Amino acid sequence: MQIAGDRVLKAVRRVSLFLFCAAFSVLVGAVTVRAELSAEILIGDIPPDRVDELISQNANDPRVVFDLLALKSAQSAPGQAAEIEVVRAALAQRFPQVIDADVGAVLLGAADSFLEAGMKQEALEQLYLALERFRASTTNPKILGDLLERIAVLEKDLGDAKTAADLRKAIGELPGSLDAPPGTRSNDPGFVSVEVFYATDRKQTGESHPSQFFGYDRTDGLNYGKLEVTIPRTQVPGTLSAPSIWRLEFSEDPTKHTMLQSITPVEKDAFFASMRQGLDDRESSDAFIFIHGYNVSFDTAAKRTAQLAYDMSFEGLPVLYSWPSRGATTGYVPDTAVVRLSGRRLTKFLEEFVRESGATKIHVIGHSMGNRALTDALELMALRNAPLDEPLFDQIIFAAPDVDQGLFSAILPTIKPLAERLTLYSSDQDWALEASRRLHGNAPRAGQAGEDTLSHKDIDTIDMSDLGEDMLAHSYVSNDQSAILDISTLFWKSADPTIRCGLEAHPEKAQIWQYRKTDCSNLSMLNVVGHLRNKQAETAAQIKQVLRQDFENAPQALDMEALLLSLAAQ
């Protein structure tokens, strides 16, 4: 799509250079280290005269600064607000693995503020840069057409009728429909597409771009649908790839970056019918449901769900349940206000899923504050369905749960009959849980390890402190796949921790195992376990057969045979 060629390129280069320079003028010498979040930041009700001081105090945490700048922008006059939004866009480009934000959406916000201040030329530059990002990341003709029309109006207002006419001509030349994401027409696109089913009580924003489709307002019921995420074939398990200003990447590329490509709302009956058809067409009839945590947008939750499925080579159905988190560090208290109500809606969805999905094995993963919704939902299910003849779920996993430890322990006996196995992942390095503990009068959180690590007969606690911070956060891993391997192994065999790779029994406390970095971090192990699970290789004979048929030229896989056969012995 050629649009006023040199003029667009000149504007894009000028704004890109500004953003690149802004990244150096903000947070000079900044490092991506988590700040000790204060209760003031978590609560989010910060007076204007405190915002600058807090930005200075938290200058080593770009994500916190990004969110504090959003507060400052909301408290400022339009012209200043626009400049702040440009700086936020620069930060998002400078620290893509820490600030998981849609830079194009931030730039559109800057353009709106510039227009409100009467600064049309500055608004035009932001729109051109947003266009450059969206051209690379979407083929939706409505998104591109609406943006081109906005630019055309401004060009005409600024006296360039010819460019405005060229832009409107380009709108008329847009394809009527392009269902495939960029690059899929290639024989080797360099990325894979992952379909995810979703249920959410987030309200639609009215925006058509996938990253802006759902906001943080809530609805009275549930919205259902399907979404598509593309993941680069070169992506390291445990990470989400994003454009980096250091690599001079100013827009998204599906061969390099994880991208939410499309969202398709579906009515409930059609949703479950499509799910059953999807399971019939797949190698596996398993499904997992992921419930995200605090400070997570729908866009990020969608990409995280797809990433988990891709990393585990999961051939069943990945499903996202998304509650209306604000997706900001300053939104902790508002998040706590909505997550418990979402638990009531989640219990309805889980019961519908068990009844209607057609999945033979259903696994559930709750993360961080999302476990408040999950524990409430499971408790209600257990009470309504007691007594159970057999578990409704295979694995239920509580990852870094931001739930009061005493309350969590009290609920466990009630929910234990719902699953074949309950697993808790904890860490003594989790910044968010430590901040939550301080906010809750120093009451231990269920996901915290150390002296207060939870030991309970009804759940296996895995202390993942060796991996550093929260096991599913952006800071987690880089090149260590061990936590994801453990989840994948559970999905495959529901294996006891005593025989799972890399786990050592706690020397003093029962039902606690400590993760130790071993050969479990080997990427081949993750791939082989996923393949065996998809092939439904359960017995020793089946495992040997698959290894020899499918990995005869992969000595690393055959070297793992003894460990894999030990899992089959259970």
Side-chain angles (χ1 to χ4, degrees):
M1 180 176 60
Q2 184 67 31
I3 309 168
D6 293 339
R7 183 180 179 89
V8 174
L9 184 59
K10 182 179 179 181
V12 169
R13 284 175 174 170
R14 182 169 63 252
V15 178
S16 298
L17 179 62
F18 170 77
L19 290 175
F20 187 76
C21 294
F24 286 96
S25 64
V26 179
L27 302 181
V28 175
V31 292
T32 56
V33 176
R34 291 289 183 188
E36 290 296 324
L37 291 185
S38 65
E40 189 175 15
I41 291 174
L42 289 173
I43 293 170
D45 186 15
I46 303 171
D49 59 355
R50 283 282 293 149
V51 175
D52 287 339
E53 183 179 351
L54 287 171
I55 289 174
S56 177
Q57 291 173 0
N58 293 273
N60 67 333
D61 192 330
R63 179 65 199 242
V64 175
V65 173
F66 182 81
D67 293 335
L68 287 170
L69 285 171
L71 287 180
K72 186 175 178 65
S73 174
Q75 296 166 351
S76 301
Q80 184 184 10
E83 297 289 354
I84 292 171
E85 291 304 304
V86 174
V87 173
R88 291 181 74 235
L91 281 174
Q93 283 193 317
R94 167 66 177 82
F95 301 102
Q97 296 301 332
V98 179
I99 303 172
D100 186 21
D102 184 341
V103 178
V106 179
L107 291 168
L108 290 178
D112 289 338
S113 294
F114 275 129
L115 284 174
E116 191 176 350
M119 304 167 69
K120 292 185 178 181
Q121 184 61 49
E122 290 80 358
L124 182 63
E125 292 180 348
Q126 305 310 306
L127 292 176
Y128 269 127
L129 186 56
L131 174 65
E132 195 67 10
R133 294 191 68 87
F134 289 153
R135 283 202 315 176
S137 63
T138 183
T139 54
N140 187 313
K142 177 171 173 38
I143 294 172
L144 296 176
D146 289 349
L147 185 49
L148 286 170
E149 177 59 30
R150 288 189 64 183
I151 295 172
V153 169
L154 270 181
E155 287 283 19
K156 186 174 181 180
D157 286 349
L158 291 170
D160 193 338
K162 182 180 184 308
T163 297
D166 289 343
L167 290 164
R168 290 198 168 101
K169 180 180 178 182
I171 295 172
E173 294 172 352
L174 288 173
S177 174
L178 281 175
D179 296 326
T184 53
R185 290 174 296 281
S186 166
N187 291 330
D188 183 17
F191 60 87
V192 296
S193 178
V194 179
E195 182 184 60
V196 175
F197 286 76
Y198 72 83
T200 183
D201 54 347
R202 292 177 185 264
K203 187 176 181 179
Q204 294 183 21
T205 63
E207 298 289 338
S208 54
H209 194 275
S211 69
Q212 302 167 269
F213 195 85
F214 287 109
Y216 58 77
D217 290 331
R218 63 190 184 190
T219 61
D220 293 332
L222 288 178
N223 293 310
Y224 302 84
K226 294 187 285 186
L227 59 89
E228 180 186 38
V229 173
T230 52
I231 299 177
R233 294 185 183 278
T234 57
Q235 178 166 294
V236 175
T239 64
L240 294 179
S241 305
S244 171
I245 198 170
W246 293 116
R247 296 191 295 268
L248 299 181
E249 295 172 345
F250 299 102
S251 60
E252 292 178 302
D253 179 342
T255 66
K256 299 177 182 178
H257 312 126
T258 306
M259 297 168 60
L260 174 58
Q261 295 286 354
S262 65
I263 296 175
T264 306
V266 178
E267 292 298 322
K268 184 175 72 172
D269 290 345
F271 172 81
F272 285 111
S274 179
M275 192 173 286
R276 291 189 294 270
Q277 180 62 51
L279 286 170
D280 288 343
D281 296 339
R282 294 173 186 244
E283 192 168 350
S284 169
S285 59
D286 290 8
F288 77 81
I289 303 169
F290 178 64
I291 302 104
H292 63 79
Y294 145 70
N295 188 18
V296 176
S297 65
F298 185 91
D299 174 69
T300 299
K303 291 187 286 189
R304 180 60 66 194
T305 307
Q307 172 253 317
L308 283 170
Y310 177 69
D311 289 351
M312 293 189 293
S313 304
F314 191 79
E315 293 293 339
L317 289 180
V319 182
L320 166 66
Y321 181 87
S322 181
W323 53 280
S325 168
R326 285 180 175 260
T329 53
T330 53
Y332 185 90
V333 171
D335 277 6
T336 64
V338 300
V339 70
R340 299 294 296 273
L341 175 59
S342 285
R344 270 62 184 165
R345 293 165 180 167
L346 175 59
T347 193
K348 174 187 174 184
F349 175 68
L350 291 176
E351 289 181 336
E352 290 175 341
F353 196 89
V354 169
R355 187 173 61 248
E356 303 289 344
S357 69
T360 55
K361 277 187 180 181
I362 303 171
H363 316 288
V364 184
I365 305 174
H367 181 220
S368 181
M369 192 184 287
N371 283 291
R372 298 192 192 185
L374 179 57
T375 51
D376 283 357
L378 294 174
E379 185 178 31
L380 289 171
M381 282 188 74
L383 292 172
R384 278 200 295 263
N385 292 281
L388 286 170
D389 295 330
E390 59 183 18
L392 301 179
F393 304 105
D394 191 74
Q395 303 299 309
I396 297 179
I397 294 170
F398 305 94
D402 183 5
V403 180
D404 181 270
Q405 188 178 108
L407 175 62
F408 188 81
S409 297
I411 291 173
L412 286 175
T414 302
I415 65 177
K416 179 66 175 73
L418 289 173
E420 291 286 346
R421 185 180 297 277
L422 302 180
T423 301
L424 164 66
Y425 288 109
S426 65
S427 173
D428 64 6
Q429 303 292 316
D430 193 301
W431 67 274
L433 291 185
E434 181 56 34
S436 176
R437 177 172 180 156
R438 294 198 308 272
L439 191 64
H440 290 88
N442 205 37
R445 318 314 291 163
Q448 287 187 293
E451 292 182 0
D452 296 315
T453 305
L454 177 65
S455 172
H456 196 287
K457 65 181 180 62
D458 289 328
I459 196 167
D460 301 326
T461 297
I462 313 299
D463 182 348
M464 303 296 280
S465 300
D466 254 20
L467 292 181
E469 291 188 18
D470 167 18
M471 59 170 289
L472 292 178
H474 290 304
S475 56
Y476 164 65
V477 184
S478 285
N479 59 1
D480 191 321
Q481 297 82 35
S482 307
I484 298 172
L485 170 62
D486 199 54
I487 294 173
S488 186
T489 303
L490 280 169
F491 284 9
W492 174 38
K493 289 290 295 179
S494 187
D496 191 89
T498 56
I499 58 173
R500 299 209 304 267
C501 192
L503 302 185
E504 296 179 358
H506 192 283
E508 300 175 359
K509 296 183 179 180
Q511 295 301 120
I512 298 177
W513 286 263
Q514 296 169 314
Y515 168 75
R516 296 288 181 256
K517 289 189 176 182
T518 64
D519 289 341
C520 301
S521 61
N522 189 311
L523 178 58
S524 297
M525 183 72 170
L526 181 59
N527 293 335
V528 171
V529 166
H531 187 72
L532 290 169
R533 185 189 63 248
N534 293 329
K535 289 294 185 180
Q536 300 179 359
E538 300 284 342
T539 67
Q542 290 170 337
I543 292 170
K544 287 181 179 180
Q545 181 180 11
V546 172
L547 288 176
R548 280 156 178 73
Q549 284 183 350
D550 299 345
F551 296 99
E552 61 177 344
N553 296 319
Q556 279 185 308
L558 296 177
D559 290 343
M560 302 170 195
E561 184 174 300
L563 176 59
L564 295 167
L565 291 177
S566 70
L567 294 172
Q570 181 174 318

